[in-house]
Amino acid sequence: METSVIYYAILGMGLISIAVKAAPIMLLARRRLSSSVLEVGRFLPIAVLSAMAVSGVFAPGGRLELGAENVFLAAALPTLVVAVVTRQMLLTIVVGILATALARWLLF
Amino acid sequence: MDIKTESSDAEPARGKWGDIRRGVILTLPMLVVFGPIGATFGVIAVEAGMSPFQTILMSFVVYTGAAQLAAIQLLIFDAPLVTIYLTTLVINFRYLVLSATLAPHLSTFGFLPRLFYGLQLTDASFAIHVSRFAKAPPRRVEVFTTNIFAHIIWVVGTSIGVLAGSAVPDPTQFGIDFAMPAMFIALAIPLIKSKAEVAVAITSGVAAIGFNAIGFQHWTILAATAVAMTVAFGAIRWKRA
């Protein structure tokens, strides 16, 4: 790897990431949004978080994995139950981690 | 420890130290979410031939796991910089949606605080904040405590990977790699209350499975969100009619 290339990569990637992450906050935060936009926008967090959660479980490597080797599928069930019943973030994460470790131990 | 993200608990008046304390507590799960991923990146980057300084600098400046890991793969194959930049852009495209979702909540923040917030936006901090802002307006000290602490965990995690090298145990050994999906589940569930919200969540999940199946990869979150939002739009129309 060429040293200068790595620094250009870091610089460029940093600028691109910052632009994509900050632009909507910079441009939209002070806009007065119409009430109908806000009414629909209320659903955005749910839509985004659900897509991220389901993708993380069903496609851990960016590709759909429905076989038994994807232990996340089994681990997601107890995790979901604990999330619905307790609504405690840390407890849910701990149960998820333990369920994944247990599923791997049982299967492999 | 009380880390409930429930909407029912009241918001008592807190001073600056109370906000810092709350911010730190909210960020604690990041220790298992960001720490191991940062360490894994550190190990892989150094093994691929990056210097310890370059590796830690990349985590500090770029601060986005998926794009950093992809960049290492591209650097190994001497890919042109343009390819690295375009890959970063594609992988990070979903941040446009995350950022736009948070934007209305940050209307009381000035120019620099908003820019600073944008610099430190991640999937995990988005998930934490979006569930916090759903019940109370953002408290600046708490918000930035969360962001700065998460950033520190990411950089320190990377540094541990760089220093310990292959002595870092494989996180998949213990199931720690499930921490991130578990966190998204934990934060999404309390937000889903009405029938319309259940419909939007299920649509988004099913769409995400479908888009992953046909190889949408980094576009999956955007595409699934778009499909789910048409359902949200329909639900509102239907309620009004």
Side-chain angles (χ1 to χ4, degrees), chain A residues 8 17 21 30 39 47 104, chain B residues 85 99 107 109 172 204 240:
Chain A
Y8 280 123
S17 299
K21 289 175 175 184
R30 291 284 169 91
E39 204 181 349
R104 284 211 176 100
Chain B
Y85 295 159
S99 180
S107 59
F109 284 34
T172 64
S204 190
R240 278 203 199 122

Side-chain angles (χ1 to χ4, degrees), chain B residues 129-217:
Chain B
H129 283 154
V130 90
S131 69
R132 281 293 283 162
F133 299 166
K135 58 173 176 171
R139 299 173 71 94
R140 206 166 295 202
V141 174
E142 181 197 295
V143 163
F144 286 112
T145 302
T146 313
N147 284 352
I148 291 167
F149 190 26
H151 203 157
I152 290 172
I153 293 170
W154 180 244
V155 174
V156 170
T158 304
S159 309
I160 290 171
V162 165
L163 295 174
S166 47
V168 170
D170 179 7
T172 64
Q173 224 178 309
F174 312 107
I176 289 175
D177 49 334
F178 191 64
M180 188 88 107
M183 184 180 188
F184 293 144
I185 293 171
L187 291 167
I189 291 297
L191 296 180
I192 304 166
K193 288 171 209 133
S194 69
K195 273 183 201 157
E197 287 164 347
V198 173
V200 169
I202 291 175
T203 306
S204 190
V206 172
I209 293 174
F211 287 125
N212 276 313
I214 55 175
F216 261 50
Q217 294 202 350

Side-chain angles (χ1 to χ4, degrees), chain B residues 10-69:
Chain B
E11 285 291 326
R14 288 180 270 132
K16 195 190 264 179
W17 287 106
D19 283 340
I20 290 175
R21 188 176 150 270
R22 181 86 191 195
V24 168
I25 289 173
L26 277 170
T27 320
L28 285 180
M30 302 279 231
L31 287 171
V32 281
V33 174
F34 272 7
I37 303 175
T40 307
F41 168 74
V43 174
I44 291 172
V46 170
E47 270 176 8
M50 273 173 63
S51 77
F53 174 73
Q54 291 162 343
T55 306
I56 295 166
L57 184 71
M58 186 183 256
S59 272
F60 181 72
V61 173
V62 183
Y63 192 28
T64 154
Q68 287 177 226
L69 283 165

